[in-house]
Structures are given as structure tokens and as C-alpha cells.
Amino acid sequence: MHLHAIDDRAPAHHGWLVRPGHAWFAFAMTFGLMLFDYIDRQVIVSLFPYLKADWGLSDKQLGGLVSIISIVVALGAIPVALLADRFSRVRSIVLMATLWSVATISCMFCSGYGQLFAARAAVGAGETGYGSVGAALIASLFPARLRSALLGAFFAAASLGSVLGVLLGGLIAARWGWKAAFGVVGLPGLVLALAYVLVRDYRTVPLTAKLERATSSAGSVVRHIAQAMLRSRTLLWACLGAAMQLIVVSAVWSWLPSFLNRVHGMAPDQAGKHAALVVLAGALGSFVWGLVVDRLAQRRLRNKLLAVALLCLVSLALLAYAFGAAPAEHQLAWIVIGGFVMTCSVGPIASVVIDVVHPAVRSTGAAVLSLFQNLLGLALGPFVAGVLSDQWGLPTALSVIPAFSAIAALLFVRAAASYEAEVSALASIRLAAEGDDAPSLPGTPATA
């Protein structure tokens, strides 16, 4: 692993921090680890029917096995991102990926709910900060004009990993038992984690004196973030909106295999295969909508958030119909269509957050988004759906959950009102940090 400043052979005038070959290698490795991050995280949802049968667990307990990871990730994301920004993003990623892979393997040796819950919490401890640090690494290495698409592709790895986790969990459990699934998916991730040392590290943008003081301790970071959230309406509303939309995504992804098993009578492995189609549609959607939103933002920057708000409302209509009114023979098709749209916010909102934070603390800025996404989004979705399912049944629960998309749309509209002004105010800082490719508002100077 090699720490370096901006490569003097890199085409800096086009916004590249290092040579394109190094940047694309780093992207491929970071994408691969994100893939295994979500394979390890989501493999358990196809195992719900086995866990319910073997251990007699309630839906609330099953949902907790998914939610605990997001809770731990949320609580640790900011400290980990702070360390990564100040020391080494690559070394941080190696340590995180090694920990979550070993913890996943340990799940196969658990003999009760308490042990499995603790092991899943350890998986979350390893995954803490990875999404924000990986996003910051990609955002730093590539030009601003590519960010939404590449961040959408990076976070699409979460969708693809979820697809593979859901699919592999059911197939492995049907052949070798549900405990074996954890070992089979954990080992390849461990190998890739150790290979990540080959990614070249780099020196980040120097902190200003104010940011040096603000990031000197965990308490200082919390105070600085609170002040930043109060100053940046875009950051606050965008993070809240992202969380609301992810409640829908996480609930559907976590409970769809069980829904197909209970409502349509599919065997767990077949339910996993069909659920994987929905997650795959979400993976494709996160990338496609990132491209579409980038194109709309070329006309006017605030269109990025307005377009995402509209797509959230479309996903609400599609999923509410799919789970609540669609004929049984067409239900899965409607769920797939809804799944394609519901991931619309993933790439664009990560790009929005990157746009309104100082370049020197991008990991920490992305960690603020991760905090909201995990604690208020990914953690709540499976648990709330499980509670509603215990009370009303799973079909009704999944019909109600999409209502959170309406809240997300309102919050994104609020964020759009301040987005352009905040990007303009930061343009001069970005210009100094990244060269003449720094983002500016259409029709306005690059400095403010």
C-alpha cells in the first residue's frame, strides 16, 4: 500500500486526483467489497423460514437480526469516518472488511438467538463506516462530472450483493443447512479484504484551522456536525429524506422471501430466487436513475432533488398497488417494477451530500448520511415491518410501509430549495481542492 499526494502524471485539469488506471482499480476493489458487505448482511433473510422453524422466532426477532447491523453501523460510522479522513482510508477499509468477514463466518457456529444476534452485531461493527469511506474514496479519485453515476454504481453493489445474499442463502441452506450459508459467503470476502492492501492510498486535502479543531475529538465532531446540520438545510433534509426512502427499500428486501413463502407457498430456496429478481431490479434502478438525474441536473442543479422526489412518489404508487391490490398472478411483476424505482435516491443523494461538504471531510460528511440511512432507515424498515406483521399480517405490513416514500418526497423538495445556494458557496473551496473541474451552478461562475 502506497501513500501519495496528487500524482503529477494525472490529468488534473480534468478533475482526476490520480491516474485513471489507479482510480478505476480502486473503484473495482471498492465495488467488490461493497458487494460482499451486502452479501454478508443480507444472506440471513432467506434463512428466516429455517430460523422460524428451528428456533420458533417471532417476526420482530427475525427483523432484529437485520436491524442490529444498521444500528451498530449508524453508531460507529462517524468515528470511523473521522479516523479514515485523518489517517488512511485504505487501511481503514482493510480492517473493516476483515472484521465483518470473520464475524460472518462466526455465525455458522451459533447455537441460539442470543449468540446469533451478537455475531450479527459484530458484522455491523465491521461494516461501520465502509459505505461512507468507500464513497469518499471514489468521490475524491474521480472528476465531479462522474460522481453521481459512479456513486450510484458503487451503491448498486449493495443491491447486487443483496441479490446474491438472498439467492445464495436459500440455495446453500437447501443443500447443506442454513448454518453453512454464513461460512460459504464469508470466506471469499475475507480474501478480498486482505487483497485491498494493493489499492494505492493518498494524502487527503489539508484541513483548515477551523476544521482541524472541529475534528480533533469525537465530541468536537458531534458538535461540528450538529452546527453543520443547522447551517446546511440541504444536508439535513436530504439525509432525512434518504432515510425515509430506505425504510421502504430495507423492508421490502428483508421480508419479500418470507412473503413469497407464506403468501404464495414457495419453498425458501425458490422464494429466495424470486426475491433476488426484485433486488436485482433495484440494483439496476439505482444506476439508471443516477444517470437520468445527472442529465436533468445539467439544466438546473435543483432538478436532481426534484426528480428524486417525483420518483419516490412513483415508487409509493407502484408498491402500494403491488402488495395491496395486484392480482396474485401479476403480483411479482408489479413488485419488480416497484423495486426498480424505489432505489432512485441512492446515488443522487450521496452526490448531493458530497456537494455540500468540505472536500477534506468527505468521509465524515458521507458518514452523516450513513448515520441517518442506517439508524432511521435500514434499521427501522425490517423491524417496523416485523412488528406490523405480528399485528396485522405480512401482506398488510408491506402494503403500509411504502407510505414512507411520501415523507421522503416532501423532504427532498425542502432540500432542493437550498441546494443551489450551498453548492455555489462552496465552489471556490472545491476549485482550490480539485482544479477547474469543481462543480458550479449552470450559468454561474465557478467561484462565489
Side-chain angles (χ1 to χ4, degrees), residues 8-22:
D8 56 11
R9 295 170 298 173
H13 292 296
H14 298 287
W16 295 86
L17 181 63
V18 297
R19 295 181 67 183
H22 295 310

Side-chain angles (χ1 to χ4, degrees), residues 168-196:
L168 291 173
L171 293 175
I172 296 168
R175 184 163 185 174
W176 295 306
W178 64 264
K179 289 187 177 182
F182 295 111
V184 172
V185 302
L187 284 172
L190 180 59
V191 172
L192 186 61
L194 298 176
Y196 200 86

Side-chain angles (χ1 to χ4, degrees), residues 58-97:
S58 68
D59 285 352
K60 181 171 68 175
Q61 287 176 306
L62 292 172
L65 292 172
V66 179
S67 297
I68 185 57
I69 289 184
S70 299
I71 292 171
V72 174
V73 168
L75 295 177
I78 291 175
V80 169
L82 171 63
L83 290 173
D85 270 332
R86 293 175 67 87
F87 298 106
S88 169
R89 290 167 184 168
V90 170
R91 289 188 181 96
S92 299
I93 288 172
V94 171
L95 290 173
M96 285 186 284

Side-chain angles (χ1 to χ4, degrees), residues 197-221:
V197 297
L198 299 174
V199 173
R200 297 181 69 184
D201 210 345
Y202 65 94
R203 296 186 183 97
T204 189
V205 176
L207 294 171
T208 64
K210 182 178 180 180
L211 284 174
E212 184 73 41
R213 292 191 300 272
T215 59
S216 61
S217 68
S220 298
V221 171

Side-chain angles (χ1 to χ4, degrees), residues 304-320:
K304 183 181 296 187
L305 284 159
L306 296 178
V308 173
L310 178 60
L311 289 168
C312 287
L313 294 177
V314 173
S315 74
L316 163 60
L318 289 170
L319 291 172

Side-chain angles (χ1 to χ4, degrees), residues 28 109-110 127 131 199 223 228 269 273 287 330 392:
F109 302 107
C110 295
E127 294 178 355
V199 173
R223 288 191 295 272
D269 57 333
K273 289 180 182 179
F287 179 66
H330 300 139
W392 300 334

